[in-house]
Amino acid sequence: MLILLIAYLGGVLTILSPCILPVLPFVFARADRPFRSHGLPMLLGMALAFAAVATLAAVGGGWIVTLNEYGRHAAIALLALFGLSLLFPGVADRLSRPLVALGLRMSEPRGTDGAASGFSPLLLGVGTGLLWAPCAGPILGLILTGAALNGASAGTSLLLLAYAAGACTSLAAALLFGGRLLSVKKRSLHIGEWVRRAAGAAVLVGVGAIALGLDTGLLARLSLGTTSALEQALVDRIKKPGKPQPEPVALREDAGLARVSDNRTAPAPARELRVEGRLPSLAGATEWINSAPLAPEALRGKVVLVDFWTYSCINCLRTLPYLRAWAEKYKDAGLVVIGVHSPEFAFEKQPANVRKAVQDLGIGFPVALDNDFAIWRGFDNQAWPAFYFIDAEGRIRHHQFGENRYDKAEQVIQQLLAEAGQTRIAAGLVAPLGQGTQAAPGAEPALSGETYLGHERAHGFASPGGIVRDHAKAYQPAASALRTNQWSLAGDWTVEAERAVLNGANGRIAYRFQARDLHLVLGPAANGKPVRFRVLVDGKPPLADHGSDTDAQGYGVIDAQKLYQLVRQAEGSRERLFEIEFLDAGAQAYAFTFG
């Protein structure tokens, strides 16, 4: 009930947000009309548009941003026509005649105001709603993010309904108040024509502001009168839906311990492993690799290790040598390792990409594609990578998040196998040595953290003028030397929600980092054409500090969407300036990770 109330209050506060200011003229332009025949249909249209956007967010995932952008352009065109119809009714009558004919049944008959009265309030509400939804504030963003990641649910639907009810409440009050105010002015000053023209001019100004991006740019940054602080306080009271968290920093509980070797034969200490629940259904998998679909019932009598991972996650990749070793060592004793691939980026949802990654990474155990996060939600999981240990009776007995603590994980496996009645369990603990991106992290902790290049989660950006969202821009390097964990772009780039796309050859990215290893999630051109690149470290070829995906001179090729290891310092973790120049157009850059 408290969460629903907070969502409702967030909707009420929408009308005070600077981002909504350009939309208000569309509301007040109809404020002098009867509320029942004009106000209610407009609010209904807005609610329908909002519901459509929210539903697409729940089921559309990655492509909702693009679709919403098309809706935004359509709404701008529609509302610009509406503004012109208010300002120039004669011209608008000829331009809007087809729309008027279609909308007559949803609106009152045409009056003396010409085309303006012929526009359906429902249609105008839809256009207004398309502009309202994307910029309504952090509470709506939180609800839509949860819907997109967790799928449609009764809880999400109720939150969206409560938010929409709050917004409609405030806008309905504006319509009722505005109507009374304009009626008094018309009766006393007879300025109805000027009011209508002023409303038309205000609409066109609002459309211009929106077309220039001021609704989500300049206005969104205004501090005077903004509701961001109020909404953020409400957001803090809401428990976030099961949104996947960024890859966790390696959990170094065993930091400083020597690597465990195969000849270590000390018996695993007995530990109390409490029951944390039962193995959830695996039916939500959209596809299986290396196996027919598996079900909890078919796994009864086996010890199961479920690993949540995604193939561009460096922390996940570094666990793979251990997972492969455990699967091989204990398969005859009854261990089944299942990788649940829950994607972070849109390209990781493509089955062909995952199948290729599984093959390239040498994974032979079953992998379930969890594109809808159904299995993730079933486990109430919170991070990549995550291990869940299930006993022979189908009960979850232990879990671990993050890297390391491999000795503890293997001891849990041994204990669960012993509980299942296995007497011939191979002794010792595995000690695989991963190569390239699967190599263990450095002994010194990385002081640089995961950094996304898409505007949705970008931070530390230092190029002049900041990021321009979803539009091409010629970026310049930072005006002064980059500070640690700052990055910049140079060249013609389009920064989208989850990636930066290079529009021409010779674009560059610079990052000042402190870690042993630097990785960058990259993709080739949209048509699949490989992209050549060159890496420099402190302005010079990396030589001995080159990564597994570059040569000593720093050259490499992007031929797939995946994580690339570009720097691996030979002498520990030092602060360095990383630069990468893409020699061909079309490069896609997603995120930096370190180790």
Side-chain angles (χ1 to χ4, degrees):
M1 183 61 69
L2 176 60
I3 294 177
L4 289 174
L5 177 60
I6 291 173
Y8 175 81
L9 291 176
V12 171
L13 289 172
T14 294
I15 198 170
L16 299 178
S17 173
C19 188
I20 302 298
L21 291 179
V23 178
L24 292 183
F26 314 141
V27 178
F28 284 109
R30 289 261 168 176
D32 61 336
R33 310 300 177 86
F35 182 75
R36 183 174 180 180
S37 61
H38 289 78
L40 284 179
M42 175 177 283
L43 292 175
L44 177 61
M46 293 178 65
L48 289 174
F50 173 79
V53 171
T55 301
L56 288 173
V59 300
W63 51 270
I64 179 59
V65 175
T66 303
L67 185 61
N68 191 47
E69 187 67 20
Y70 293 150
R72 184 180 180 84
H73 294 327
I76 289 173
L78 172 65
L79 293 168
L81 282 176
F82 175 52
L84 289 172
S85 74
L86 288 169
L87 196 57
F88 306 109
V91 176
D93 181 55
R94 292 190 295 271
L95 291 176
S96 62
R97 194 167 294 160
L99 289 176
V100 171
L102 291 175
L104 279 175
R105 292 187 179 182
M106 296 184 292
S107 183
E108 81 284 9
R110 291 174 60 189
T112 58
D113 285 343
S117 61
F119 267 91
S120 164
L122 181 70
L123 192 61
L124 295 173
V126 169
T128 306
L130 287 173
L131 294 174
W132 161 55
C135 66
I139 290 180
L140 176 58
L142 176 62
I143 297 171
L144 291 181
T145 298
L149 290 167
N150 295 329
S153 68
T156 297
S157 299
L158 286 174
L159 288 174
L160 292 170
L161 181 61
Y163 188 94
C168 286
T169 298
S170 58
L171 292 173
L175 281 170
L176 291 171
F177 177 77
R180 293 175 182 175
L181 178 62
L182 292 179
S183 295
V184 170
K185 288 186 175 182
K186 277 189 172 184
R187 289 196 301 268
S188 60
L189 301 176
H190 306 287
I191 58 170
E193 179 68 15
W194 288 105
V195 169
R196 182 181 59 76
R197 291 182 181 274
V203 167
L204 292 179
V205 170
V207 168
I210 293 169
L212 293 174
L214 298 180
D215 58 325
T216 56
L218 175 62
L219 288 173
R221 290 194 292 269
L222 290 177
S223 59
L224 183 60
T226 182
T227 64
S228 297
L230 292 175
E231 287 200 66
Q232 192 59 52
L234 295 174
V235 167
D236 293 339
R237 298 296 305 274
I238 300 177
K239 181 181 179 181
K240 294 185 179 181
K243 178 182 179 182
Q245 300 300 307
E247 292 108 294
V249 176
L251 302 178
R252 301 302 300 276
E253 212 174 76
D254 57 350
L257 297 180
R259 180 175 296 278
V260 180
S261 63
D262 279 327
N263 60 9
R264 178 176 172 180
T265 58
R271 65 179 72 237
E272 182 180 354
L273 301 176
R274 63 184 180 87
V275 175
E276 301 178 0
R278 300 202 66 82
L279 173 60
S281 171
L282 304 176
T286 55
E287 185 175 321
W288 285 83
I289 301 173
N290 296 335
S291 171
L294 298 175
E297 296 76 18
L299 294 168
R300 190 66 59 86
K302 301 285 188 179
V303 172
V304 180
L305 169 55
V306 174
D307 166 46
F308 284 91
W309 72 298
T310 187
Y311 80 81
S312 72
C313 159
I314 183 59
N315 308 89
C316 302
L317 294 175
R318 291 195 292 235
T319 67
L320 290 178
Y322 286 87
L323 290 165
R324 290 194 300 262
W326 293 333
E328 178 63 26
K329 180 178 178 181
Y330 299 107
K331 64 180 180 181
D332 294 335
L335 175 69
V336 176
V337 176
I338 300 175
V340 177
H341 187 273
S342 302
E344 179 176 16
F345 298 112
F347 67 81
E348 293 175 309
K349 294 183 178 181
Q350 300 177 21
N353 286 350
V354 184
R355 287 194 293 268
K356 184 178 187 304
V358 167
Q359 181 179 1
D360 292 345
L361 295 169
I363 298 173
F365 51 79
V367 174
L369 275 61
D370 189 28
N371 283 356
D372 299 328
F373 284 83
I375 304 176
W376 178 291
R377 294 195 302 273
F379 277 83
D380 194 22
N381 188 44
Q382 299 297 320
W384 300 281
F387 295 164
Y388 291 86
F389 302 82
I390 294 91
D391 66 18
E393 297 182 25
R395 303 173 300 182
I396 301 174
R397 299 286 299 281
H398 183 64
H399 71 272
Q400 290 184 193
F401 294 154
E403 302 177 57
N404 297 305
R405 299 182 296 170
Y406 299 116
D407 54 345
K408 179 179 179 180
E410 188 168 1
Q411 289 166 2
V412 170
I413 293 172
Q414 292 174 342
Q415 182 170 334
L416 293 180
L417 288 172
E419 290 182 8
Q422 294 293 331
T423 57
R424 302 183 62 181
I425 303 173
L429 302 176
V430 301
L433 295 176
Q435 302 296 321
T437 56
Q438 299 179 50
E444 301 177 38
L447 298 184
S448 293
E450 185 172 28
T451 302
Y452 293 91
L453 277 65
H455 64 69
E456 189 173 64
R457 290 185 282 179
H459 65 274
F461 186 65
S463 288
I467 290 176
V468 173
R469 298 185 174 195
D470 304 314
H471 293 285
K473 176 184 177 180
Y475 289 90
Q476 300 297 324
S480 58
L482 293 175
R483 298 193 300 272
T484 305
N485 299 328
Q486 283 189 329
W487 61 283
S488 64
L489 296 173
D492 189 355
W493 293 83
T494 299
V495 181
E496 301 175 355
E498 70 173 20
R499 65 183 179 179
V501 180
L502 180 61
N503 301 315
N506 305 118
R508 301 188 303 280
I509 305 175
Y511 192 115
R512 183 168 292 279
F513 75 101
Q514 185 168 352
R516 187 194 67 180
D517 303 339
L518 179 145
H519 313 90
L520 185 54
V521 179
L522 297 166
N527 60 6
K529 182 178 179 180
V531 174
R532 299 167 299 153
F533 66 84
R534 188 183 187 189
V535 164
L536 298 176
V537 178
D538 292 337
K540 301 176 183 179
L543 303 178
D545 291 334
H546 72 90
S548 59
D549 293 299
T550 61
D551 61 22
Q553 294 301 312
Y555 288 101
V557 176
I558 307 170
D559 55 7
Q561 290 173 308
K562 65 176 186 177
L563 180 142
Y564 290 78
Q565 186 184 84
L566 303 179
V567 176
R568 184 183 178 104
Q569 297 193 65
E571 299 181 2
S573 174
R574 291 184 290 153
E575 183 177 301
R576 312 292 293 274
L577 176 62
F578 166 85
E579 297 172 277
I580 181 170
E581 180 179 8
F582 301 97
L583 307 180
D584 305 301
Q588 305 171 48
Y590 292 83
F592 285 97
T593 57
F594 304 90

